[in-house]
Amino acid sequence: PQWLSRPEEQWPIFRLEAFTDDTLRAIEAETKCATISQTLVTNTRVADNNPNCFGIDPANFSSYKRLLRVSAYCAKFLKNRVWSKLSLDTRSKYPQLADLFIAFNHEQLSCHDISVVRRQWILAAQQFSFSNEIKALKLQKRNNLVEQLGLRVGDDGLLHTVSRLKHAKISPEAREPILLPNDHAFTRLVVWNTHEQNLHSGVSQTLCETRREFWIPHGRRYVKQVLHKCAQCRRYKSATPFARPV
């Protein structure tokens, strides 16, 4: 305001009695709405410098399925206790959140709810590790990784790789797998889940199954690093048969 540039003696005096009850309630509602909006955006934000989502650090999880379930419950809580209290004008400022909270309409979690938070985690991992590639695609500029992997933004808003398999008679997910970084905790959980689902298979089979849906740069080396920490595999590999009795 202009009166801030004047001497302090010329500042206007505001008295609380000048505000009516309706005005005070409107100010309180506006302040509360702004606080709620900031809380919601902070907990669901996907930013270039923020590897987490829903206020959750994936490095604290050892199970891929547990991470998705906990994230879904957090998103459901945010929708019921925060998003539902916002006005329509405030909701219109966050179209991405509006698309996110279309789900979570039932008391029990559904497969659709899990797929929604799964996409949100993939988006968070990609924007954290591939922000330069995403900007290059938007501005149509040259980028080494974009040209090497033939990256494009799919209909789901995620980065996909395009290879020689794009005309193969295989599933669409395998023809254009989703790009995942090798420096994000979510990718580690994806590889670990594939390893366990395939009964603790080796590096080659785990990598092959992972590439049915995801593409990880330097994938073989990364999968080998993840599987090296599997205690069950190391226990059986180190086991030796009993010696023949003399």
Side-chain angles (χ1 to χ4, degrees), residues 121-122 124-130 178-188 191 215-217 222:
W121 271 111
I122 296 174
Q126 288 184 348
Q127 293 195 357
F128 175 73
S129 301
F130 302 118
I178 298 173
L179 181 65
L180 281 183
N182 55 14
D183 59 350
H184 199 278
F186 178 77
T187 307
R188 174 183 59 83
V191 174
W215 184 272
I216 305 173
Y222 180 77

Side-chain angles (χ1 to χ4, degrees), residues 13-184:
I13 300 176
F14 296 98
R15 299 184 181 278
L16 189 61
E17 293 79 4
F19 296 99
T20 62
D21 294 339
D22 295 338
T23 304
L24 290 176
R25 280 194 292 268
I27 294 175
E28 183 180 359
E30 184 178 355
T31 305
K32 186 176 181 180
C33 183
T35 304
I36 291 175
S37 303
Q38 184 62 33
T39 302
L40 184 65
V41 173
T42 301
N43 285 278
T44 57
R45 177 177 55 186
V46 175
D48 296 350
N49 57 351
N50 181 22
N52 305 333
C53 193
F54 303 105
I56 299 174
D57 186 1
N60 297 330
F61 286 78
S62 60
S63 172
Y64 171 75
K65 296 179 180 179
R66 186 180 296 115
L67 172 67
L68 296 184
R69 286 199 303 270
V70 172
S71 301
Y73 278 118
C74 291
K76 187 179 180 66
F77 173 81
L78 290 172
K79 178 182 179 180
N80 295 336
R81 300 301 300 271
V82 181
W83 181 257
S84 60
K85 296 182 180 180
L86 300 180
S87 62
L88 295 178
D89 294 337
T90 306
R91 293 183 187 182
S92 62
K93 299 178 182 179
Y94 309 103
Q96 294 182 350
L97 296 182
D99 296 337
L100 172 65
F101 289 123
I102 291 178
F104 315 105
N105 295 320
H106 306 285
E107 293 184 3
Q108 300 295 330
L109 293 179
S110 63
C111 295
H112 178 64
D113 299 339
I114 298 297
S115 64
V116 168
V117 297
R118 175 178 174 273
R119 177 194 174 276
Q120 198 74 4
W121 271 111
I122 296 174
L123 186 64
Q126 288 184 348
Q127 293 195 357
F128 175 73
S129 301
F130 302 118
S131 58
N132 294 332
E133 287 73 16
I134 295 174
K135 292 178 182 178
L137 286 173
K138 290 182 179 179
L139 300 176
Q140 297 182 353
K141 292 185 177 180
R142 298 192 61 180
N143 183 279
N144 292 333
L145 191 61
V146 172
E147 295 177 355
Q148 290 175 4
L149 300 179
L151 298 181
R152 74 173 188 88
V153 179
D155 297 335
D156 53 2
L158 303 176
L159 284 177
H160 291 257
T161 63
V162 181
S163 64
R164 295 172 295 177
L165 298 177
K166 62 181 179 179
H167 299 300
K169 295 181 180 180
I170 53 179
S171 63
E173 293 81 7
R175 284 200 300 266
E176 296 184 0
I178 298 173
L179 181 65
L180 281 183
N182 55 14
D183 59 350
H184 199 278

Side-chain angles (χ1 to χ4, degrees), residues 181-183 187-188 191 202-204 206-208 210-211 215-229:
N182 55 14
D183 59 350
T187 307
R188 174 183 59 83
V191 174
V203 175
S204 297
T206 302
L207 179 62
C208 181
T210 304
R211 284 180 174 174
W215 184 272
I216 305 173
H218 308 288
R220 181 172 296 275
R221 182 176 62 186
Y222 180 77
V223 171
K224 187 175 182 180
Q225 291 176 356
V226 174
L227 269 56
H228 181 69
K229 300 178 181 179

